[in-house]
């Protein structure tokens, strides 16, 4: 469990290291699909959606509200994937820093 805490803290501290890119309409639609999946009733779909959003990095900055909400879930794999996604989004996820810190405190 301690290694997981260190991993989440590392993600929170790496915000400033990420760089953005260009968005195509296909990319935007894919991101929107994963944003909707974060509210799915199926746990696996939610965790997978957060994981996939991490792959988009800074391009997924529109998903910050949904990913931030996922941090308060009781589902640790979802929290972990959401934290990783926020870290990969980088400075565009700066509004999530207080929630990332809270999630780290409550682990």
């Amino acid at each position: 469990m301690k290694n997981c805490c260190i991993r989440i803290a590392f993600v929170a501290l790496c915000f400033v290291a990420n760089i953005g890119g260009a968005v195509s309409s296909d990319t935007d639609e894919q991101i929107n699909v994963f944003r909707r999946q974060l509210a799915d009733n199926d746990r696996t779909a939610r965790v997978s959606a957060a994981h996939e959003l991490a792959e988009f990095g800074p391009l997924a900055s529109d998903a910050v509200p949904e990913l931030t909400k996922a941090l308060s879930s009781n589902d640790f794999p979802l929290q972990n994937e959401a934290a990783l996604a926020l870290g990969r989004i980088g400075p565009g996820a700066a509004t999530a820093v207080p929630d990332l810190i809270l999630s780290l405190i409550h682990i």
Side-chain angles (χ1 to χ4, degrees), residues 71-83:
L71 292 174
S72 64
S73 166
N74 291 328
D75 184 351
F76 182 74
L78 177 58
Q79 289 175 335
N80 191 49
E81 291 296 336

Side-chain angles (χ1 to χ4, degrees), residues 11 15 49-55 57-58 60 67 80-90 93:
V11 168
F15 274 113
H51 177 81
E52 293 301 324
L53 286 165
E55 297 299 315
L67 291 165
N80 191 49
E81 291 296 336
L84 290 171
L86 290 164
R88 287 194 171 170
I89 289 169

Side-chain angles (χ1 to χ4, degrees), residues 13-101:
L13 295 173
C14 287
F15 274 113
V16 294
N18 291 303
I19 301 168
V23 180
S24 74
S25 60
D26 288 340
T27 300
D28 202 30
E29 181 53 36
Q30 290 173 340
I31 290 168
N32 286 331
V33 168
F34 294 126
R35 288 175 72 187
R36 288 189 295 274
Q37 279 185 322
L38 284 172
D40 198 288
N41 289 331
D42 181 59
R43 174 189 181 269
T44 303
R46 291 190 307 272
V47 173
S48 295
H51 177 81
E52 293 301 324
L53 286 165
E55 297 299 315
F56 286 98
L59 300 177
S61 63
D62 287 345
V64 169
E66 292 89 347
L67 291 165
T68 301
K69 183 176 179 182
L71 292 174
S72 64
S73 166
N74 291 328
D75 184 351
F76 182 74
L78 177 58
Q79 289 175 335
N80 191 49
E81 291 296 336
L84 290 171
L86 290 164
R88 287 194 171 170
I89 289 169
T95 58
V97 170
D99 292 285
L100 271 167
I101 293 169

